[in-house]
Amino acid sequence: MKTRDKIIQASITLFNEQGERNVTTNHIAAHLSISPGNLYYHFRNKEDVILSIYEEYAGSLLLETFPKVSTKVKPLDTIILYMDAVFQITMKFRFFYSNLPVLLDKNPSLREKYVEVQHAIADRVSQLLTSLRTENIINFEDEELVDMVSILRLINTFWLSFYQTQNIVNEINDSVFFQGVLKILVILRPYTTKASLPELLKARDMYQQRYQDALSTV
Amino acid sequence: MKTRDKIIQASITLFNEQGERNVTTNHIAAHLSISPGNLYYHFRNKEDVILSIYEEYAGSLLLETFPKVSTKVKPLDTIILYMDAVFQITMKFRFFYSNLPVLLDKNPSLREKYVEVQHAIADRVSQLLTSLRTENIINFEDEELVDMVSILRLINTFWLSFYQTQNIVNEINDSVFFQGVLKILVILRPYTTKASLPELLKARDMYQQRYQDALSTV
């Protein structure tokens, strides 16, 4: 692995474990047994490291994992799989999401990139919901679409932060992630048409089972 | 106003305007033209100021503003009024919510208090939803109750953070707060019974109007 990539990977780990606020570029360099000067050869400062993490990893992943709407995948599964993927990404880069408004305020380049990715995601979720309505899988009023997209994205983005603030001790493991997907299914359930409800409930049972399994392996 | 209270009020203002991370106890003292020693007479450190803000203001407000279920207020209005009140509180103490998981990690006493308040709120929202179901205003499955309570609280807690991360420039004004209430109404709409739907749609129109009015006065 190249030094630049080592710095990025170590930063993700340290930020997640210790909180971004508590980790300096000196800590990162010490962790990798490289000199601070070597780190500064690759990155201007900590903000630059965080920007690179988002640009090269988190943001790109969010855009790349968007499932293609295909005839092979059931349309309802397409949105569930996407929500699933997004929750996995927020867990992988959780330091980023637990501090999001503050990090964006400190870093205009990061904000610009983040907003750009968010708008692309909003467009895609919106298209996906519209195509689910066209196929008579879910039903909603036109004027609800924008809010539904916001609500799904809000839950995607902040579910982990919410979870982390609900108890004295919070261990982050797969059960947390399955709980997040279950929240999305609860949101979609009352919008689901009668014909498609069995499919949604099947997905819910599956994630419920995965959640139980993840709990018991902790 | 007593010095202790002046410190608290100035801290809320400075934290909201400049971000909690960028404000030190020295800034707060300088802003009030008092000595740092005087501040330290009242508070051990910045974490102690934040804990007091939550204990004496934000947390207590959250518990006190919970509307009494009374025969004078329509039951659907009760939950809308509560969600409305909670959004107002998150706007007033927005520095706290834009940084929540990080602040709680740094401050075990704050986490303890916060979790206690959250559990009390979850109980009340749960009772409110159950009583709305008993009165045949909304309808949901038993197994959805816990998730619905979480979803409403998640949106309450992180709507403002979400809003702040969606655009390059974000001005916080009343329109943001009305948009938050509208999200709650979108969540409740498909659960609302036919008989109560006109009431919910009336509330939605009212908040839509307030939102438009707030936009035009900006």
Side-chain angles (χ1 to χ4, degrees):
Chain A
M1 202 161 32
K2 284 183 187 156
T3 305
R4 184 189 154 82
D5 228 43
K6 274 189 197 160
I7 295 169
I8 286 201
Q9 297 307 328
S11 301
I12 296 170
T13 307
L14 293 173
F15 290 160
N16 279 341
E17 282 173 4
Q18 294 169 33
E20 171 274 331
R21 191 167 171 162
N22 306 314
V23 176
T24 64
T25 44
N26 281 349
H27 290 137
I28 300 166
H31 181 84
L32 289 168
S33 309
I34 63 173
S35 70
N38 194 349
L39 189 146
Y40 285 119
Y41 173 78
H42 296 279
F43 299 97
R44 269 174 300 128
N45 49 34
K46 192 167 79 169
E47 274 60 54
D48 195 22
V49 177
I50 297 171
L51 175 64
S52 302
I53 292 175
Y54 189 74
E55 281 191 331
E56 297 166 33
Y57 294 83
S60 337
L61 259 179
L62 282 170
L63 293 179
E64 282 162 21
T65 56
F66 203 90
K68 298 278 172 294
V69 178
S70 90
T71 48
K72 284 179 205 147
V73 183
K74 290 184 191 165
L76 192 60
D77 287 351
T78 312
I79 192 153
I80 296 172
L81 285 174
Y82 183 62
M83 295 291 149
D84 182 310
V86 174
F87 281 121
Q88 292 200 43
I89 293 164
T90 59
M91 287 187 62
K92 199 164 166 188
F93 301 97
R94 59 179 172 275
F95 77 88
F96 185 77
Y97 294 93
S98 55
N99 212 2
L100 193 56
V102 175
L103 287 183
L104 300 189
D105 275 348
K106 285 185 67 172
N107 196 333
S109 312
L110 179 63
R111 176 180 287 277
E112 208 170 299
K113 185 71 195 169
Y114 183 81
V115 166
E116 186 192 314
V117 171
Q118 288 302 302
H119 286 183
I121 291 175
D123 281 349
R124 290 179 188 191
V125 174
S126 181
Q127 284 163 22
L128 203 47
L129 289 178
T130 307
S131 76
L132 285 171
R133 186 170 65 171
T134 307
E135 304 205 35
N136 201 32
I137 291 166
I138 62 172
N139 205 357
F140 52 85
E141 299 173 23
D142 282 338
E143 62 198 89
E144 290 177 325
L145 177 61
V146 172
D147 279 334
M148 282 180 70
V149 172
S150 291
I151 289 166
L152 294 179
R153 289 169 53 236
L154 194 163
I155 293 174
N156 260 163
T157 311
F158 290 106
W159 157 247
L160 191 60
S161 294
F162 181 73
Y163 174 83
Q164 288 176 293
T165 58
Q166 292 305 300
N167 292 293
I168 302 292
V169 181
N170 301 290
E171 212 204 321
I172 307 289
N173 55 51
D174 280 352
S175 77
V176 182
F177 148 69
F178 295 126
Q179 274 182 282
V181 180
L182 284 165
K183 298 282 170 296
I184 298 292
L185 297 177
V186 169
I187 298 272
L188 292 178
R189 202 274 300 161
Y191 291 99
T192 308
T193 59
K194 227 171 178 171
S196 295
L197 195 58
E199 199 185 326
L200 182 103
L201 297 180
K202 215 173 104 186
R204 191 174 73 179
D205 288 347
M206 190 184 75
Y207 277 99
Q208 196 73 48
Q209 189 59 51
R210 287 185 187 172
Y211 166 60
Q212 295 296 343
D213 292 349
L215 271 188
S216 62
T217 56
V218 170
Chain B
M1 201 160 33
K2 285 181 186 156
T3 305
R4 183 189 154 81
D5 229 42
K6 274 188 198 160
I7 295 169
I8 287 200
Q9 298 307 328
S11 302
I12 295 170
T13 307
L14 293 173
F15 290 160
N16 279 342
E17 281 172 5
Q18 294 168 32
E20 171 273 332
R21 191 166 171 163
N22 306 314
V23 177
T24 65
T25 46
N26 282 349
H27 291 137
I28 301 166
H31 180 84
L32 290 168
S33 308
I34 64 173
S35 70
N38 194 349
L39 189 146
Y40 285 118
Y41 173 78
H42 295 280
F43 299 97
R44 269 174 301 127
N45 48 35
K46 192 167 79 170
E47 273 61 53
D48 195 22
V49 177
I50 297 170
L51 175 64
S52 302
I53 292 174
Y54 189 75
E55 280 191 329
E56 297 166 34
Y57 294 82
S60 339
L61 259 179
L62 282 171
L63 292 179
E64 282 161 21
T65 56
F66 203 91
K68 298 278 173 294
V69 178
S70 90
T71 48
K72 283 179 206 148
V73 183
K74 291 183 190 163
L76 192 59
D77 286 351
T78 313
I79 192 153
I80 296 173
L81 286 174
Y82 184 61
M83 295 291 150
D84 183 310
V86 174
F87 281 121
Q88 293 200 44
I89 293 164
T90 59
M91 287 187 63
K92 201 165 166 187
F93 302 97
R94 58 179 172 274
F95 78 87
F96 185 76
Y97 294 94
S98 55
N99 212 0
L100 194 55
V102 174
L103 286 184
L104 300 189
D105 275 349
K106 283 185 68 172
N107 196 333
S109 312
L110 180 63
R111 176 180 288 277
E112 209 170 299
K113 184 71 194 168
Y114 183 81
V115 166
E116 188 192 313
V117 171
Q118 288 301 303
H119 287 183
I121 291 175
D123 281 349
R124 290 179 187 191
V125 174
S126 180
Q127 284 163 23
L128 202 48
L129 290 178
T130 306
S131 78
L132 285 172
R133 186 171 64 172
T134 307
E135 304 204 35
N136 200 31
I137 291 165
I138 61 172
N139 204 358
F140 52 83
E141 299 173 24
D142 282 336
E143 63 197 89
E144 289 178 325
L145 178 60
V146 173
D147 279 335
M148 281 180 71
V149 173
S150 290
I151 288 166
L152 294 179
R153 290 168 55 236
L154 194 163
I155 293 174
N156 261 164
T157 310
F158 290 106
W159 158 247
L160 192 61
S161 294
F162 180 72
Y163 175 83
Q164 288 177 292
T165 59
Q166 291 306 299
N167 292 293
I168 301 292
V169 182
N170 301 289
E171 212 204 321
I172 307 288
N173 56 52
D174 280 352
S175 77
V176 182
F177 147 69
F178 294 127
Q179 274 181 282
V181 181
L182 284 165
K183 298 282 171 297
I184 299 291
L185 296 177
V186 169
I187 298 273
L188 291 178
R189 203 273 300 161
Y191 291 100
T192 308
T193 60
K194 227 170 179 172
S196 294
L197 196 58
E199 200 185 325
L200 183 104
L201 297 180
K202 215 173 102 186
R204 191 175 72 177
D205 289 347
M206 191 185 74
Y207 277 99
Q208 195 73 49
Q209 190 57 53
R210 287 187 187 170
Y211 167 59
Q212 295 296 342
D213 292 348
L215 270 188
S216 60
T217 56
V218 169

